[in-house]
Amino acid sequence: MRSHSIRVSLRAFPRSVKRTITILVDVASVALALLVTLLLQRDAGSPQHGTSLLFVLAVLAAVPVFLAVGLYQNVIRYMGSGMLVTVVISVSAATLLFWVFLWLSRKNGLSSAALLLQWLLTLLFVGGSRVAASEFLREKSATTRSLERTIIYGAGDAGADELLRRGT
């Protein structure tokens, strides 16, 4: 029952607050993906100094791209598979822009394999957060949970009438 009250509270927020929360989750997702990438690459002997610039560049690449692609325009509760395509496109563009930032700043802290890993992790975290939020915010009515699955094969109009009578 507590998750229901949280769900209702989140839905009551103004759209601007919901968008800000989504942007903050995306910033955390991009930063977490880069942190995991750096921790995994550290074992390969990469330099550890100057990593704060990498986080700034990653976020500066991601958020404007996400805004430009329209990642914050859809209502997460009603998102479909088209939103996942938008996530793949936006994360790919943001990773490419991040690579350009690294190249322009002459910051060679990440290998191409690390950039691929960072892309995959960002895709997982940004896309996963949206799927998780969509599932959490989707209305789960009592009738939907208690319906019994029914297959009526070959019943014609009588089967359709039965479905209507049951409220399915």
Side-chain angles (χ1 to χ4, degrees):
M1 204 50 150
R2 182 179 174 154
S3 66
H4 177 71
S5 63
I6 293 172
R7 189 178 302 125
V8 170
S9 297
L10 286 173
R11 286 186 193 152
F13 286 153
R15 188 177 177 116
S16 60
V17 173
K18 294 176 195 175
R19 183 176 292 165
T20 302
I21 291 170
T22 306
I23 290 171
L24 291 175
V25 168
D26 285 347
V27 166
S29 297
V30 169
L32 181 62
L34 183 59
L35 177 65
V36 171
T37 300
L38 290 172
L39 289 174
L40 291 174
Q41 190 180 8
R42 183 184 306 166
D43 293 339
S46 69
Q48 297 173 18
H49 61 285
T51 56
S52 59
L53 178 63
L54 292 176
F55 286 99
V56 171
L57 291 176
V59 170
L60 285 177
V63 173
V65 168
F66 292 175
L67 283 166
V69 173
L71 207 55
Y72 302 117
Q73 292 176 355
N74 293 350
V75 177
I76 288 181
R77 181 175 23 159
Y78 302 117
M79 79 172 200
S81 59
M83 176 56 96
L84 294 179
V85 172
T86 305
V87 169
V88 170
I89 290 170
S90 61
V91 168
S92 299
T95 303
L96 182 64
L97 185 60
F98 179 55
W99 179 82
V100 168
F101 283 170
L102 290 176
W103 182 75
L104 289 175
S105 69
R106 310 247 190 266
K107 186 80 176 150
N108 295 326
L110 291 175
S111 66
S112 57
L115 280 172
L116 178 64
L117 178 63
Q118 192 259 348
W119 173 78
L120 285 169
L121 290 173
T122 304
L123 190 61
L124 176 71
F125 295 156
V126 170
S129 68
R130 278 172 172 66
V131 170
S134 174
E135 286 300 313
F136 179 75
L137 293 172
R138 187 169 289 138
E139 185 66 39
K140 295 173 180 70
S141 65
T143 58
T144 307
R145 284 178 278 169
S146 65
L147 285 179
E148 179 180 317
R149 293 187 178 263
T150 306
I151 295 178
I152 302 176
Y153 180 76
D157 290 337
D161 290 341
E162 180 63 22
L163 284 176
L164 290 174
R165 189 179 63 76
R166 287 187 181 198
T168 319

